[in-house]
Amino acid sequence: MKTNLFTTAAVGAIVASSLATSAMADGHATELTLCWAAWDPANSLIELSKDFEEQSGHTMNFEFVPWPSFADRMLNELNSGGQLCDLMIGDSQWIGGGAENGHYVKLNEFFDANSISMDDFLPATVTGYAEWPKNTPNYYALPAYADVVGWTYRKDWFDRPELQTEFMDTYGRKLDVPASLEELRDIAAFFQGRDIDGTTVYGAAIYTERGSEGITMGVTNALYNYGFEYENPDQPYDLEGFVNSAGAIAGLELYKELYDIGTPPGSSNWYMGENIDAYRSGQVAMQMNFAFIWPGVEADENVGNGNSGYFPNPAGPAGQFAQLGGQGISVVAYSEKQEAALEYIQWFAQPAVQQRWWDLGGASALRAVVENPDFATSQPYAQTFLDSMAIVKDFWAEPAYADLLIPMQERMHNFVIAGDGTAKEALDGLVRDWTEVFEDEGKL
Amino acid sequence: MTLSPMDTAASKTPESMAKRIRGLSDRTIAWIFVAPTIFLLLAVNIFPLIWTIRLSFTNFRVNRPNNDVEWVGLRNYKRILSDPDVWNTMQATAHFLIWTIALQVLIGFFLAFLINKKFKGNDMWTTIIVFPMMLSPAVVGNFWTFLYQPQIGLFNYVVTFFTGGDPASFSMIGDVHLAPWAIIIADTWMWTPFVMLICLAGLRSIPDSIYEAAECDRASKWRQFWTLTIPMALPFLMLAVLFRGIENFKMFDLVVQLTGGGPGNTTTLTSIDLKREAFEKWRTGYSSAYAVILFVTVFGLASIYVKALNKVKER
């Protein structure tokens, strides 16, 4: 009798489960997996996606990988044609490889059919996250997370009258948000080794990380503003005199000087996480970091509540630029659930969803959100975010971006941190390395 | 008649199976048992090796499956062997290997010698000493990163306590001259216990009677150490050198965690360089050639070493 009951229950469960499955299939309910980096904005996206689950009936799974192994893990997944990810929020540099190697679905037809216009997004994010080749209307992603390198500073320290007086006596100007990179260097030197409330503090936390992309994402903020160009604007892949121009050399020297005279001891391998820690723990007066950390700074009980201020990357002699971060969201070509994945993108592109994305701590690239008159005052850092997004430049997004990134990491770290050779030698070496890569690629 | 346990077991073997086996030779049965292992070895070791050698003569990139694969002959090998950066990497690896092995063998043997003495709390000390090798290298890397911090690191504090300097005046992992030593120290801390265990096994394998005989001959402790302990423990010491040499040649996670290969390229070991070529730049053909060169180097050195080890054991 017991056996019969058990068997009946088991059969019942199987039938119920089959019915449920077929009901799901009828309603096209699907389990989607979205792959991204494991960081604060990813948690906001989980929260945001609950609305999508409610509206569509699809279930969202998330595969988040910490930044240091994000590229390794996800590019392995794409290169092996893996079906883990249906949606990928891949780094901006991957767009060339994603498009040329067939990892991402081309979205032009889908955008046209669903009235999604790239004109509705910030132009820099469209170029940076979605287009390949650059500056052509071929879209492989929808701008998902707008990000840029900017600066956070200890407003409460800057406002101290005794420091104001001392700074004025030393530099002949007010201790305030720096208007140029040289002023920033001076402020960093001013705070270096200073005793504030019984603690030794330092000037600035800057990007110096060696293993992934850290120092490149940092040093470019000085290079661009002093005249560095990736290539001759009139002749693609012509590097000589642009990568290693006199201005670029001066910019690299300034970054090294900033490292030598204005950063905490031992900060030779720092990237986003280390900079956040140093700033929040009151070690540094200023911090270079991507804008994604700003909501966290505001929420911090030590450095938030009006104790911090924000400013865009300061200008140099050749202009004012900042390193672009952020990512676009793409549909993975190997996914068997592309229809549902496209549904997610269609939902994500809606202005109301984009507004909620910003409200939850995400960073929208939709103009309707960021150009709203209330946006600039919606958060203490919102205006800085807008100003910074207007001056962005990005690293190579070529399919061979990794071949280009690794020598840059090596050359920059060798000069800035290890003090090996001169800035000119470092940039001349970079020209050689990059030329070899483009020759191998058949582009030279 | 009473049946032996063997006969009883044999009588219980199913008839059909017994018949089937009876028709096979011992050699065939042996092959049946060994074949899965051979198949696995071929599939997991030999085939990938041959495939890697083949790829090393091409320009194949695993992330460009649609590109034509060209046969480039020895171009990859020429590029690697004429690249000064690769030679710098080899030099950094050799420096790391020589110092870690020397320190670990010396300290490990010394610790084994002390632990081998009978004293109270002997087992407890062995457990405490062995503790570091139970940790993951990534955890050890993280742990030592904090120890080396100029502002809050205990290592800097201890060093400057004795030297009277400013803790913030030197950065173990940010200085080109100190960074290799930062890794050597962390690795030695972690793996000396392993060498100690091997040496301990060697020391405990020496029979007490030999020392008793030496005592009868009135040999001094120093002489006993040099003429009995060292020669008899030598094969174990050499084994420890072999294990640590092979392991440290592959050293990756600890270094990545501590320095990321920097400052500059100072601590970029061959394993890190190879990983960058293979899984960051995706130059599959080039990195295959790199892997073949490293394989031949390690295999050659290890073969010579094992021959020497066997000679020592035969003595």
Side-chain angles (χ1 to χ4, degrees):
Chain A
M1 186 63 186
K2 263 185 184 174
T3 317
N4 284 344
L5 265 178
F6 184 77
T7 313
T8 313
V11 169
I14 292 165
V15 170
S17 141
S18 310
L19 285 173
T21 313
S22 56
M24 297 262 280
D26 287 338
H28 303 291
T30 305
E31 277 202 15
L32 283 175
T33 302
L34 187 152
C35 297
W36 200 12
W39 56 336
D40 287 349
N43 300 326
S44 306
L45 191 67
I46 294 177
E47 194 55 38
L48 182 74
S49 300
K50 284 177 184 166
D51 294 345
F52 173 73
E53 289 183 312
E54 256 179 43
Q55 286 173 29
S56 67
H58 299 315
T59 309
M60 293 300 294
N61 297 318
F62 297 92
E63 183 75 19
F64 296 149
V65 181
W67 271 111
S69 40
F70 178 55
D72 278 3
R73 170 77 184 86
M74 289 310 170
L75 290 176
N76 263 325
E77 188 63 32
L78 292 175
N79 289 327
S80 61
Q83 293 183 341
L84 169 73
C85 311
D86 304 301
L87 289 154
M88 171 77 77
I89 304 190
D91 224 347
S92 56
Q93 291 103 323
W94 305 358
I95 201 79
E100 288 196 10
N101 301 323
H103 299 325
Y104 292 161
V105 172
K106 190 172 181 183
L107 297 171
N108 285 51
E109 278 182 22
F110 167 75
F111 285 166
D112 292 343
N114 292 280
S115 308
I116 297 172
S117 168
M118 285 295 105
D119 294 340
D120 293 341
F121 290 84
L122 291 172
T125 63
V126 176
T127 311
Y129 311 152
E131 286 176 356
W132 189 258
K134 294 290 177 199
N135 303 309
T136 67
N138 296 288
Y139 306 117
Y140 292 86
L142 179 94
Y145 190 86
D147 206 357
V148 57
V149 170
W151 293 82
T152 319
Y153 72 101
R154 288 297 298 264
K155 206 165 176 291
D156 53 339
W157 294 358
F158 275 47
D159 289 343
R160 291 187 180 205
E162 73 278 13
L163 295 182
Q164 286 280 354
T165 309
E166 193 185 330
F167 190 84
M168 177 64 85
D169 292 345
T170 315
Y171 295 98
R173 65 170 189 272
K174 195 172 178 283
L175 174 58
D176 205 348
V177 168
S180 68
L181 284 166
E182 286 174 1
E183 286 188 13
L184 184 140
R185 178 202 55 200
D186 292 344
I187 296 171
F190 176 74
F191 278 101
Q192 185 76 353
R194 182 168 290 275
D195 187 291
I196 289 187
D197 300 333
T199 307
T200 306
V201 305
Y202 302 95
I206 63 172
Y207 288 165
T208 56
E209 187 254 8
R210 169 69 180 79
S212 59
E213 57 170 20
I215 195 165
T216 301
M217 295 292 111
V219 78
T220 46
N221 293 285
L223 293 178
Y224 297 148
N225 297 352
Y226 274 77
F228 167 95
E229 296 277 356
Y230 284 105
E231 57 191 339
N232 181 347
D234 302 324
Q235 193 184 336
Y237 310 114
D238 175 19
L239 313 174
E240 186 67 44
F242 295 89
V243 169
N244 54 353
S245 64
I249 292 166
L252 183 54
E253 280 167 350
L254 179 123
Y255 199 77
K256 176 165 176 52
E257 203 184 344
L258 178 60
Y259 172 73
D260 287 341
I261 65 171
T263 59
S267 60
S268 57
N269 198 24
W270 283 16
Y271 198 21
M272 299 180 261
E274 290 82 3
N275 285 14
I276 295 170
D277 291 344
Y279 186 77
R280 281 186 170 179
S281 61
Q283 274 190 66
V284 289
M286 295 181 289
Q287 173 200 189
M288 160 192 273
N289 222 326
F290 284 110
F292 83 89
I293 63 140
W294 294 344
V297 168
E298 277 305 302
D300 189 284
E301 57 182 22
N302 295 323
V303 296
N305 304 316
N307 288 331
S308 288
Y310 309 87
F311 60 89
N313 190 44
Q320 186 174 15
F321 303 98
Q323 175 60 49
L324 180 71
Q327 302 87 32
I329 183 167
S330 302
V331 174
V332 176
Y334 315 109
S335 164
E336 288 178 346
K337 302 163 190 168
Q338 288 183 14
E339 235 173 82
L342 289 167
E343 256 183 75
Y344 185 89
I345 289 192
Q346 190 183 355
W347 167 82
F348 187 72
Q350 298 173 82
V353 175
Q354 289 287 313
Q355 180 60 53
R356 187 161 149 69
W357 179 218
W358 169 255
D359 295 339
L360 284 170
S364 175
L366 193 72
R367 294 170 73 161
V369 174
V370 298
E371 289 174 1
N372 184 313
D374 297 335
F375 182 84
T377 51
S378 63
Q379 295 290 350
Y381 46 81
Q383 185 60 54
T384 306
F385 173 77
L386 283 179
D387 296 343
S388 299
M389 285 307 297
I391 55 169
V392 290
K393 272 197 182 190
D394 200 9
F395 187 75
W396 293 105
E398 293 279 328
Y401 93 93
D403 305 50
L404 302 162
L405 179 65
I406 291 170
M408 176 123 181
Q409 284 287 107
E410 285 179 11
R411 300 279 179 192
M412 298 302 108
H413 213 264
N414 256 329
F415 173 66
V416 176
I417 313 298
D420 188 13
T422 63
K424 185 175 184 334
E425 284 167 358
L427 290 169
D428 286 348
L430 193 58
V431 169
R432 285 198 299 277
D433 294 339
W434 284 359
T435 303
E436 191 180 303
V437 172
F438 289 128
E439 280 170 357
D440 284 357
E441 290 285 301
K443 295 188 170 173
L444 276 177
Chain B
M1 191 179 112
T2 337
L3 286 174
S4 70
M6 193 76 91
D7 294 332
T8 316
S11 68
K12 283 180 183 168
T13 308
E15 188 64 20
S16 55
M17 178 70 91
K19 266 187 189 168
R20 249 183 280 158
I21 291 175
R22 233 176 269 149
L24 300 171
S25 69
D26 285 353
R27 199 178 179 78
T28 312
I29 293 169
W31 269 109
I32 289 170
F33 281 107
V34 172
T37 311
I38 291 177
F39 173 75
L40 272 177
L41 269 175
L42 284 171
V44 177
N45 287 344
I46 309 300
F47 172 73
L49 178 66
I50 293 168
W51 197 249
T52 304
I53 294 170
R54 183 186 167 276
L55 286 178
S56 73
F57 297 108
T58 68
N59 67 348
F60 178 60
R61 281 171 177 259
V62 77
N63 66 337
R64 312 273 177 87
N66 304 328
N67 283 13
D68 290 337
V69 180
E70 284 173 34
W71 187 263
V72 295
L74 290 171
R75 191 180 79 182
N76 290 331
Y77 288 90
K78 273 186 199 160
R79 269 193 178 181
I80 292 165
L81 294 173
S82 59
D83 185 347
D85 288 340
V86 170
W87 285 105
N88 284 341
T89 304
M90 299 256 191
Q91 219 172 347
T93 309
H95 179 268
F96 172 69
L97 267 177
I98 289 166
W99 279 105
T100 47
I101 290 173
L103 288 172
Q104 287 169 27
V105 167
L106 279 174
I107 303 171
F109 186 79
F110 177 69
L111 287 175
F113 193 71
L114 291 182
I115 289 286
N116 195 35
K117 307 279 178 205
K118 289 180 179 68
F119 62 91
K120 205 177 171 187
N122 179 305
D123 290 342
M124 184 193 74
W125 282 110
T126 309
T127 311
I128 291 171
I129 292 170
V130 163
F131 182 70
M133 63 177 265
M134 296 175 187
L135 299 170
S136 137
V139 172
V140 172
N142 235 334
F143 172 63
W144 277 89
T145 307
F146 285 111
L147 287 181
Y148 287 138
Q149 272 297 316
Q151 295 99 313
I152 54 162
L154 191 63
F155 183 87
N156 272 32
Y157 175 76
V158 171
V159 171
T160 49
F161 180 80
F162 289 108
T163 58
D166 171 20
S169 65
F170 75 99
S171 164
M172 282 297 286
I173 50 180
D175 185 291
V176 273
H177 304 294
L178 296 176
W181 289 100
I183 295 167
I184 290 167
I185 291 169
D187 189 73
T188 302
W189 177 81
M190 186 175 181
W191 288 111
T192 296
F194 176 75
V195 178
M196 184 200 81
L197 286 180
I198 294 179
C199 293
L200 197 60
L203 291 175
R204 292 201 172 153
S205 70
I206 304 172
D208 286 345
S209 56
I210 294 182
Y211 288 108
E212 285 161 12
E215 289 282 343
C216 291
D217 291 342
R218 296 189 179 182
S220 68
K221 289 286 178 198
W222 186 244
R223 194 170 169 78
Q224 285 178 33
F225 179 77
W226 280 110
T227 53
L228 294 176
T229 309
I230 292 288
M232 297 197 77
L234 192 59
F236 289 87
L237 274 172
M238 290 182 74
L239 207 60
V241 170
L242 182 69
F243 286 156
R244 291 309 307 140
I246 291 172
E247 274 298 308
N248 275 357
F249 198 83
K250 300 185 295 184
M251 173 58 66
F252 183 82
D253 27 19
L254 180 67
V255 184
V256 167
Q257 197 67 40
L258 265 175
T259 64
N265 276 342
T266 322
T267 58
T268 302
L269 307 181
T270 45
S271 56
I272 296 173
D273 202 26
L274 179 58
K275 187 257 179 185
R276 282 185 184 142
E277 293 294 341
F279 300 111
E280 288 177 29
K281 293 185 183 176
W282 301 102
R283 298 165 81 187
T284 316
Y286 180 90
S287 54
S288 297
Y290 202 159
V292 169
I293 290 171
L294 293 184
F295 171 75
V296 170
T297 310
V298 176
F299 191 76
L301 289 174
S303 302
I304 295 166
Y305 189 84
V306 168
K307 270 192 178 173
L309 178 64
N310 287 335
K311 273 188 183 167
V312 170
K313 271 163 63 182
E314 281 163 16
R315 271 196 290 172

